[in-house]
Amino acid sequence: MRHLLSTTDLTRDDAVDLLDVAEEMAQVSEREVKKLPVLRGRTVVNLFFEDSTRTRLSFEAAAKRLSADVINFSAKGSSVSKGESLQDTMQTLAAMGADAVVVRHAGSGTPHRLATSGWIDVPILNAGDGTHEHPTQALLDSFTLRRVRGGLPASGPAEGARGTDLAGSTVAIVGDILHSRVARSNVHLLNTLGAQVVLIGPPTLMPWGVEEWPAEVFYDYDDALAAHEFDAVMMLRVQLERMHQSFFPNPREYTRLWGLTPQRYRALPGHTAIMHPGPMNRGFEICAEAADSPRAVVLSQVANGVAVRMAALYRLLMGTESEGRS
Ligand code: CP
């Protein structure tokens, strides 16, 4: 594996391997020695053209726990505001000795462009590109689901999840599917790992051709809840910043029809985990009762993001034994 651009590039074995390495990393994070020396002397650049809290900080924490040096680049306050191009920005990073670039960009396909441009010859990790994909988010979601499915602690050190996939699981992804790179990456990865995916949302926030996706589609939340016993319900943020104002959903109507309200939350089976990639719009797509409940694994998802990103950096920079790299 040279880059991590899309979950469509991962076979079941690739995905299980990354989740298994992340399990090892989750053990390391809890030990007395909190750093591994494996990436000492390497430089990881976090190149963020869009805002982020979880992804940027956890990539930084992941790189530091592997003893890499980290350069954080935020487009705000950089020479991008003076008109510097993506090509010149990348070539500047190459000249500084970057060994891997983690990129978030509003343009769908930007990480793929960087990986094929020849401007820089290092692994590229997609940290979210437009409405396209967010592969490490999907990996941390599957890591969390695998734990929950196995009756294990949702985060922290645990034994027993290694080698398994998500066959037999049913996962609902609910809300603004249209603008969600998290939904796209999860639909691919969950299918690869054998889970059944159910997409739920208003017709206006479903992508064109969604019926062709490998998922069951519901336009009525309560019909979907009546039809399935979900292992997890993954609520999505309504991405108002990607919508024209005239297309904003009416908040009260959205919450009533598509929100995880107290009523829907209380009617869920006792084993259903509540997931959200964050940041959450409390009171809009998810009620505080659900977000703060013991069944919510939202903060475990954040914690698992560090272990999963350690695994991704480790595999991309160190390779596998079969690749003969070290
Ligand atoms: N889930 C996620 O990508 O969050 P951030 O935007 O805070 O990175």
Side-chain angles (χ1 to χ4, degrees), residues 286-300:
I286 187 167
C287 67
E289 184 180 338
D292 297 329
S293 74
R295 286 153 61 189
V297 293
V298 179
L299 293 176
S300 289

Side-chain angles (χ1 to χ4, degrees), residues 48 50-58 104 127-128 134 136-137 140-141 181-182 237 276-279 301-302 309:
F48 277 65
E50 274 193 332
D51 295 343
S52 169
T53 297
R54 279 148 284 269
T55 311
R56 190 178 66 75
L57 292 179
S58 60
R104 169 169 289 193
H134 194 349
T136 55
Q137 177 69 43
L140 73 88
D141 289 339
R181 52 199 180 201
V182 174
R237 184 172 69 84
H276 195 300
Q301 289 171 263
V302 175
R309 287 165 180 135

Side-chain angles (χ1 to χ4, degrees), residues 43-302:
T43 300
V44 174
V45 175
N46 281 327
L47 183 63
F48 277 65
F49 292 86
E50 274 193 332
D51 295 343
S52 169
T53 297
R54 279 148 284 269
T55 311
R56 190 178 66 75
L57 292 179
S58 60
F59 263 115
E60 182 174 354
K64 286 180 172 170
R65 284 186 198 176
L66 296 173
S67 304
D69 296 320
V70 179
I71 296 175
N72 285 315
F73 172 99
S74 172
K76 276 181 204 152
S78 78
S79 289
V80 170
S81 60
K82 301 177 204 162
E84 187 159 40
S85 69
L86 190 57
Q87 175 176 354
D88 287 335
T89 303
M90 291 307 289
Q91 287 174 334
T92 300
L93 297 179
M96 286 181 180
D99 292 297
V101 174
V102 175
V103 61
R104 169 169 289 193
H105 201 283
S108 298
T110 300
H112 186 265
R113 173 82 181 114
L114 299 184
T116 55
S117 63
W119 299 331
I120 189 166
D121 184 23
V122 299
I124 305 292
L125 294 94
N126 181 358
D129 60 327
T131 60
H132 177 226
E133 282 231 29
H134 194 349
T136 55
Q137 177 69 43
L139 283 162
L140 73 88
D141 289 339
S142 282
F143 182 98
T144 308
L145 280 163
R146 200 169 73 150
R147 287 287 192 88
V148 169
R149 174 94 179 141
L152 300 163
S155 55
E159 299 295 332
R162 287 184 189 81
T164 62
D165 60 19
L166 295 170
S169 304
T170 309
V171 180
I173 304 178
V174 187
D176 181 3
I177 311 287
L178 178 65
H179 300 102
S180 179
R181 52 199 180 201
V182 174
R184 281 169 184 76
S185 283
N186 264 305
V187 167
H188 298 310
L189 186 62
L190 289 169
N191 269 282
T192 297
L193 290 171
Q196 183 186 357
V197 183
V198 178
L199 298 174
I200 306 165
T204 50
L205 292 178
M206 284 287 186
W208 174 254
V210 70
E211 288 82 6
E212 309 303 320
W213 290 21
E216 193 177 357
V217 179
F218 281 87
Y219 297 102
D220 186 303
Y221 200 170
D222 296 312
D223 283 354
L225 293 173
H228 290 282
E229 283 215 347
F230 293 110
D231 292 282
V233 170
M234 189 183 296
M235 301 304 300
L236 298 175
R237 184 172 69 84
V238 181
Q239 299 192 39
L240 297 177
E241 76 278 16
R242 297 194 201 276
M243 297 179 199
H244 187 277
Q245 211 161 7
S246 58
F247 290 105
F248 280 11
N250 176 294
R252 263 196 299 188
E253 186 184 62
Y254 186 92
T255 303
R256 183 172 61 80
L257 293 173
W258 311 107
L260 187 54
T261 57
Q263 194 181 25
R264 288 198 181 98
Y265 164 66
R266 290 174 203 157
L268 287 173
H271 68 272
T272 306
I274 311 297
M275 303 181 77
H276 195 300
M280 293 188 280
N281 291 313
R282 285 169 179 264
F284 191 5
E285 74 260 359
I286 187 167
C287 67
E289 184 180 338
D292 297 329
S293 74
R295 286 153 61 189
V297 293
V298 179
L299 293 176
S300 289
Q301 289 171 263
V302 175

